[in-house]
Amino acid sequence: MNSGWLESALTVFRKEWRSEMRSKHGLAVGGLFAVLISVALGFATKNQEPDPMLLAGMLTSGLLFAAVTIIPRIFIAEEEQGTFTLLRAMAEPSAALFGKMLYSTIQMIVTAGVMTALFVELAHVRVADPLFLVLGAFFSALSLATSMSLCGALVLGAANRWLLAGAIGLPLLLPTSVLSTLCLAQGFGSGVVNTSSSIQALVGLAGLTMAFLGLGPLLAPGLWGVEPADNLTQDVAESTEQPSS
Amino acid sequence: MKRIPVYLLVLGVIGTVYTFLSPDAERFMTPELARIVYWHLPCAFITTGFVIAMAWQGFQYMRTKSLKVDVKQAACLEQAAIFAPLTLFTGMIFSRVQWGSFWHWDPKQTGFLFVVLLMGAAVALRSAFQDEHKRAASSAAYSIALLIPFIFLTFVYDRLPNVPSVHPSSTIAKGEMDAWYGFGVLGMFVIITLFAYWLYSQRVAAGNLGLEAADYNGQDNDDRSYTAPTGVVKSVDVQQDD
């Protein structure tokens, strides 16, 4: 990894951040989705005291569907706005994917934070171990964001890509959801899960995050570099050309 | 080459007869139905083999960008997509006769259900692309990526603490199978693997022929300026005159 590559990745990250801060559309929709899921889950547990394992499963399911809905947008929007070719011309595919992965992790961490706080409040959940709850939500968000980013990158150019991103993403996220449930259950005070297995689950989530964070940029040149360079240059010229009238 | 299916059929018949001649297994709730392991175990091993081979072919495609490698990868995926549900269904039968119901949410059983879903997702991804190089690249990347959840679901999930499993996972490693069953499982594994490899090679041959046909058609038109006799050359009014 050289400094030019890292600079390109950070440039892509800054571009994502600025474009998001300009419209705030993605943040608003993501935030609304997080609130809706939390309200729905809170309503489902109204006047009940569900098992901590069940609560952890519910929160994990919420995080899972939030990731499937929010993260692919970061990639698919480029193609729908016609700026994907420009992005590829601006940075190496691996740096572009890494920059977008970084941005998606930030967005997912914020979403997971909002969802977890709302879920705890609305469902009147007793938090037995706040550290594990926070760490569980944090590492789940990281793992979900990195793996869904790869799925978002995979579906570019496909038919029905919004639907496809979810379809290929959910099976890929199953290990994350299992480990996340174990970890969050410790946070909610499950007697079934002990501290050592929760620590194992945390390490597993960190490992999955690292695996997808490393795998994404490695696969990106093969994924996004399939067109000849001449076509790319021509496409960039066409996409940046101003209309004459 | 033409006789290979006949040889495979003969081997299959011999294998099936052997499984019925073997004595009933001990320590089973329904001892005579324990014979399902002769089919279940080889299918599971073959699925694992094809998923790993698919990831390897995906890696090879990323390196070479050759559509012939993509044909091999697609063939691996199709074989895995056949043998994964077979493993699941034979496992469900095993579960019914041994533990009393088809579905137990046993981690091994659930893990393989997720493997079937992964294969379904990989097939869906392949079918979503028109461009053959984009299809090959996305499919190759997904094949490599799905190795992470596959390894977790197959080798890690049922061994996690607090995830109890009734599925035996060390019968072969500990040498707990008797000679009849050990030899039978090994023999059926060889027979079904040969059959699976034959299917795979047929699929690869068909895929390569498809690639060559596509190339040949282009040359044919260029060399002879030949136009096909079919196709609309003049518009025709199909409405009847009043």
Side-chain angles (χ1 to χ4, degrees):
Chain A
M1 190 193 293
N2 54 35
S3 60
W5 185 91
L6 194 61
E7 188 56 41
S8 298
L10 290 174
T11 306
V12 173
F13 172 77
R14 278 195 294 269
K15 174 206 115 27
E16 288 297 322
W17 181 264
R18 280 178 189 162
S19 61
E20 194 58 67
M21 287 303 116
R22 197 174 298 145
S23 68
K24 296 186 181 66
H25 179 253
L27 275 179
V29 174
L32 181 66
F33 192 78
V35 171
L36 284 173
I37 289 182
S38 306
V39 169
L41 293 177
F43 188 75
T45 58
K46 190 178 65 173
N47 302 329
Q48 290 178 43
E49 285 186 15
D51 181 70
M53 201 68 162
L54 181 62
L55 286 170
M58 288 169 78
L59 182 56
T60 302
S61 303
L63 291 173
L64 196 73
F65 282 99
V68 167
T69 314
I70 294 167
I71 305 299
R73 188 194 65 85
I74 297 166
F75 293 85
I76 296 172
E78 293 282 357
E79 200 173 51
E80 290 184 346
Q81 290 164 3
T83 51
F84 179 61
T85 318
L86 198 61
L87 175 79
R88 279 177 53 197
M90 190 175 88
E92 279 180 48
S94 57
L97 182 60
F98 193 75
K100 279 184 170 286
M101 265 185 171
L102 281 182
Y103 177 75
S104 67
T105 52
I106 299 290
Q107 185 158 9
M108 198 57 215
I109 287 167
V110 172
T111 308
V114 171
M115 270 188 71
T116 308
L118 279 174
F119 178 70
V120 168
E121 186 56 36
L122 293 174
H124 303 296
V125 180
R126 189 182 70 84
V127 179
D129 196 334
L131 181 68
F132 270 102
L133 182 66
V134 171
L135 286 177
F138 177 75
F139 280 104
S140 302
L142 285 183
S143 181
L144 291 169
T146 49
S147 35
M148 262 329 280
S149 293
L150 183 60
C151 293
L154 283 175
V155 299
L156 290 181
N160 300 317
R161 41 192 172 270
W162 282 99
L163 197 59
L164 188 67
I168 67 164
L170 281 172
L172 219 55
L173 300 176
L174 288 166
T176 302
S177 57
V178 169
L179 296 172
S180 174
T181 306
L182 281 175
C183 208
L184 293 173
Q186 171 77 7
F188 292 136
S190 171
V192 182
V193 186
N194 55 35
T195 310
S196 67
S197 62
S198 302
I199 292 172
Q200 276 185 350
L202 271 180
V203 172
L205 284 172
L208 284 172
T209 305
M210 294 307 289
F212 282 108
L213 203 62
L215 195 62
L218 277 178
L219 295 175
L223 268 177
W224 291 349
V226 289
E227 287 175 28
D230 290 347
N231 289 0
L232 184 65
T233 319
Q234 196 179 340
D235 286 353
V236 171
E238 283 171 9
S239 66
T240 51
E241 200 172 291
Q242 297 295 320
S244 54
S245 57
Chain B
M1 284 293 281
K2 283 181 182 173
R3 292 196 174 175
I4 287 176
V6 180
Y7 297 146
L8 285 172
L9 185 68
V10 172
L11 277 174
V13 170
I14 293 169
T16 308
V17 170
Y18 177 92
T19 61
F20 279 89
L21 288 178
S22 61
D24 294 346
E26 293 171 15
R27 291 183 292 162
F28 272 81
M29 192 183 284
T30 317
E32 63 274 18
L33 291 177
R35 290 179 176 84
I36 195 75
V37 295
Y38 286 125
W39 295 93
H40 175 67
L41 276 179
C43 285
F45 293 152
I46 290 167
T47 305
T48 305
F50 274 116
V51 170
I52 293 169
M54 181 172 77
W56 172 249
Q57 297 296 350
F59 173 72
Q60 288 296 322
Y61 176 82
M62 286 295 192
R63 217 169 50 84
T64 62
K65 302 286 176 206
S66 163
L67 285 176
K68 287 197 170 184
V69 177
D70 180 54
V71 167
K72 288 182 186 172
Q73 195 222 329
C76 285
L77 169 62
E78 286 164 18
Q79 294 301 306
I82 291 170
F83 282 96
L86 278 176
T87 309
L88 190 70
F89 293 141
T90 50
M92 283 167 70
I93 296 169
F94 185 89
S95 170
R96 176 74 179 82
V97 298
Q98 178 66 7
W99 302 311
S101 72
F102 284 109
W103 198 259
H104 269 277
W105 291 108
D106 181 82
K108 203 83 174 174
Q109 204 175 29
T110 314
F112 232 88
L113 171 67
F114 293 155
V115 170
V116 172
L117 294 177
L118 276 171
M119 295 303 113
V123 171
L125 183 69
R126 273 198 82 80
S127 61
F129 287 92
Q130 289 286 326
D131 183 279
E132 54 193 3
H133 280 284
K134 280 187 177 172
R135 178 173 57 220
S138 281
S139 188
Y142 194 64
S143 303
I144 297 167
L146 68 77
L147 209 54
I148 296 170
F150 178 78
I151 289 170
F152 176 85
L153 294 166
T154 315
F155 302 113
V156 180
Y157 180 39
D158 61 320
R159 291 174 176 85
L160 281 176
N162 310 110
V163 182
S165 174
V166 289
H167 189 286
S169 57
S170 57
T171 314
I172 296 174
K174 288 180 181 170
E176 289 173 354
M177 249 182 209
D178 71 12
W180 268 97
Y181 273 77
F183 184 74
V185 166
L186 184 68
M188 288 306 289
F189 174 68
V190 171
I191 293 167
I192 300 173
T193 303
L194 286 173
F195 177 68
Y197 186 76
W198 177 72
L199 280 179
Y200 165 81
S201 60
Q202 294 295 104
R203 171 66 179 83
V204 171
N208 285 338
L209 273 177
L211 290 177
E212 283 173 26
D215 289 345
Y216 178 77
N217 282 346
Q219 284 172 6
D220 192 45
N221 287 341
D222 288 346
D223 295 347
R224 302 186 203 169
S225 303
Y226 176 77
T227 51
T230 55
V232 178
V233 290
K234 187 182 173 187
S235 58
V236 180
D237 188 3
V238 290
Q239 262 188 336
Q240 279 188 332
D241 294 331
D242 294 328

